[in-house]
């Protein structure tokens, strides 16, 4: 029987769904609260009894540290350290997708207001979106409509520490029907997708976006496969915009939330994740 | 279920609970704050406010 170590911090409904799915499939799944672990190279025996680890930490600082530790011990972790490192960094994700000819929202990384103005012009002018390299749920994202707003963004960021001096200036995509797509991709296959609809320009379900089923057509399947291959595969959630020229990737999440998506899609995402873990061959 | 902090403040939660509530579970109050379940005794559930980290969630 496969033995999975589920690495977690706080337990969300996603983790409970994964536990239920493991029970249904007869898989041994042990919950490991990584807030209370002590990582030393000398306690390898504590870890090597598992067939695979599934990283589900809410905190990326803790999650990334544990993934790196286990990877250095050559223990199998989903997602891999490489995938985690790419997807943690929105700008790096964009660069890698671009390098692999995967359609992606145009982004320019800048470090001050003057270059931000130049980048805005290169992207076709206002409005643009500013965002940090890391972050989720739309935090520290801003829709910037004019030069005054751009100045405000940089004046605020000056007090946020050196990490926040790197700002992504991103082309603003006017969403069709006020919605975007979140596609759930496992091992290069889009297993299901939802529309996230919101009157607000940020559509995250954690911020009130309403979910509905999105049928997976060949074009959506193809861009998901290409994006998955580009970043290294595994279990991914892709945020995708619909444009007149086709789909474009916005971001890729490597520790996805999905509790609001099983009902509208009718797909047991948790079950698919556990199945992938069972058959995972590092 | 009666959700409250250690000092007795009542918390009204909005989270949908799947299955049984468990220690360590994260719940959200109607004000939008995040709490973690610390103790469960029958229907009395003690929660603790947790700080939203910069890298919180997805």
């Amino acid at each position: 029987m496969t033995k999975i170590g589920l690495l977690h911090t706080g337990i969300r409904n996603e983790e409970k769904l994964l536990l239920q799915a493991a029970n249904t499939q007869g898989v041994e799944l042990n919950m490991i609260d990584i807030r209370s672990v002590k990582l030393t190279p000398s306690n390898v025996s504590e870890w090597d009894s598992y067939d695979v680890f599934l990283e589900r930490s809410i905190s990326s600082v803790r999650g990334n540290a544990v993934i790196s530790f286990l990877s250095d011990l050559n223990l199998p972790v989903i997602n891999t350290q490489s995938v985690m490192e790419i997807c943690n960094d929105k700008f790096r994700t964009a660069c890698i997708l671009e390098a692999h000819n995967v359609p992606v929202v145009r982004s320019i990384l800048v470090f001050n207001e003057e270059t931000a103005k130049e980048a805005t012009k290169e992207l076709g002018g206002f409005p643009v979106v500013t965002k940090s390299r890391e972050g989720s749920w739309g935090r520290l994202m801003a829709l910037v409509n004019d030069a005054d707003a751009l100045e405000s963004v940089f004046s605020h960021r000056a007090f946020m520490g050196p990490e926040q001096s790197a700002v992504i200036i991103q082309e603003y995509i006017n969403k069709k029907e006020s919605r975007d797509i979140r596609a759930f991709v496992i091992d290069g296959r889009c297993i299901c997708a939802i529309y996230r609809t919101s009157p607000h320009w940020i559509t995250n379900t954690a911020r009130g976006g309403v979910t509905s089923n999105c049928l997976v057509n060949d074009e959506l399947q193809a861009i998901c496969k290409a994006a998955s291959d580009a970043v290294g595969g595994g279990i991914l959630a892709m945020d995708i915009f619909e444009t007149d020229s086709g789909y474009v990737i916005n971001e890729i999440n490597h520790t996805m939330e999905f509790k609001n998506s099983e009902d509208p899609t009718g797909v047991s995402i948790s079950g698919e994740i556990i199945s992938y873990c069972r058959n995972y061959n590092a | 279920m009666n959700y409250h902090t250690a000092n007795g403040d009542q918390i009204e939660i909005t989270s949908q609970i799947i299955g049984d509530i468990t220690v360590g579970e994260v719940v959200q109050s109607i004000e939008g704050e995040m709490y973690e379940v610390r103790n469960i005794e029958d229907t009395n559930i003690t929660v603790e406010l947790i700080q939203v980290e910069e890298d919180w969630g997805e």
Side-chain angles (χ1 to χ4, degrees):
Chain A
M1 179 193 290
T2 304
K3 185 177 177 184
I4 301 171
L6 190 152
L7 308 166
H8 70 91
T9 49
I11 300 169
R12 298 162 291 184
N13 278 348
E14 282 85 355
E15 283 67 60
K16 296 177 84 173
L17 289 167
L18 288 165
L19 262 173
Q20 288 180 354
N23 288 335
T24 301
Q25 295 185 31
V27 173
E28 183 179 354
L29 187 149
N30 290 358
M31 303 289 281
I32 303 170
D33 189 338
I34 61 172
R35 293 171 295 189
S36 57
V37 298
K38 293 186 288 289
L39 305 178
T40 67
S42 57
N43 72 352
V44 175
S45 60
E46 186 180 321
W47 301 92
D48 65 5
S49 65
Y50 291 93
D51 296 299
V52 65
F53 294 93
L54 177 61
E55 193 271 312
R56 293 290 315 167
S57 170
I58 295 170
S59 161
S60 61
V61 170
R62 297 181 180 92
N64 297 352
V66 176
I67 289 175
S68 299
F69 173 76
L70 296 174
S71 299
D72 289 343
L73 298 176
N74 291 318
L75 295 172
V77 190
I78 302 170
N79 286 314
T80 65
Q81 183 176 11
S82 171
V83 171
M84 172 268 289
E85 287 173 350
I86 292 170
C87 295
N88 260 348
D89 185 333
K90 298 174 186 185
F91 184 66
R92 195 169 168 213
T93 302
C95 293
I96 287 173
L97 292 176
E98 183 84 38
H100 286 78
N101 297 315
V102 180
V104 60
V105 181
R106 291 186 298 158
S107 299
I108 300 173
L109 186 69
V110 299
F111 303 99
N112 60 53
E113 187 184 338
E114 284 310 307
T115 48
K117 288 176 181 172
E118 293 169 13
T120 299
K121 281 183 185 169
E122 289 175 33
L123 293 171
F126 295 106
V128 291
V129 172
T130 58
K131 56 170 69 172
S132 300
R133 299 182 77 161
E134 297 182 8
S136 56
W137 285 10
R139 281 183 297 271
L140 282 179
M141 283 175 59
L143 175 57
V144 176
N145 288 308
D146 56 33
D148 289 340
L150 191 64
E151 180 185 356
S152 298
V153 167
F154 277 85
S155 65
H156 293 167
R157 281 179 177 265
F159 293 94
M160 293 180 183
E163 290 169 7
Q164 296 303 336
S165 66
V167 180
I168 299 171
I169 310 295
Q170 190 182 65
E171 172 189 19
Y172 175 70
I173 303 290
N174 198 8
K175 298 183 189 70
K176 286 187 174 179
E177 300 180 40
S178 302
R179 71 186 188 192
D180 66 5
I181 295 171
R182 168 155 284 207
F184 298 92
V185 183
I186 298 180
D187 200 20
R189 182 174 64 92
C190 180
I191 60 167
C192 61
I194 56 166
Y195 290 118
R196 301 185 299 189
T197 305
S198 173
H200 195 276
W201 68 280
I202 294 175
T203 56
N204 297 61
T205 63
R207 300 275 296 263
V210 176
T211 60
S212 58
N213 188 38
C214 168
L215 293 176
V216 180
N217 58 31
D218 290 345
E219 187 188 354
L220 185 59
Q221 190 67 259
I223 193 173
C224 289
K225 174 74 166 66
S228 175
D229 289 349
V231 301
I235 301 170
L236 304 166
M238 302 184 183
D239 296 342
I240 299 171
F241 294 141
E242 303 160 280
T243 72
D244 291 338
S245 55
Y247 296 118
V248 292
I249 304 279
N250 180 31
E251 295 180 6
I252 300 179
N253 296 280
H254 69 96
T255 311
M256 63 196 190
E257 294 182 336
F258 55 82
K259 61 179 176 293
N260 296 315
S261 302
E262 292 201 340
D263 281 348
T265 62
V267 173
S268 172
I269 299 169
S270 50
E272 295 276 354
I273 291 172
I274 294 299
S275 294
Y276 177 67
C277 293
R278 283 172 62 191
N279 300 309
Y280 186 72
N281 184 3
Chain B
M1 293 293 184
N2 173 29
Y3 291 81
H4 57 84
T5 62
N7 63 12
D9 292 340
Q10 297 294 308
I11 306 296
E12 188 173 346
I13 70 159
T14 58
S15 303
Q16 176 200 0
I17 304 298
I18 294 176
D20 295 330
I21 188 84
T22 60
V23 171
E25 188 156 350
V26 175
V27 295
Q28 188 169 17
S29 72
I30 56 172
E31 289 85 10
E33 292 172 316
M34 308 300 281
Y35 292 83
E36 186 166 324
V37 174
R38 297 298 187 204
N39 189 50
I40 302 171
E41 288 183 19
D42 298 325
T43 58
N44 277 314
I45 298 174
T46 307
V47 296
E48 182 180 333
L49 182 66
I50 50 178
Q51 296 300 314
V52 175
E53 301 174 45
E54 185 182 308
D55 56 347
W56 180 273
E58 288 293 335

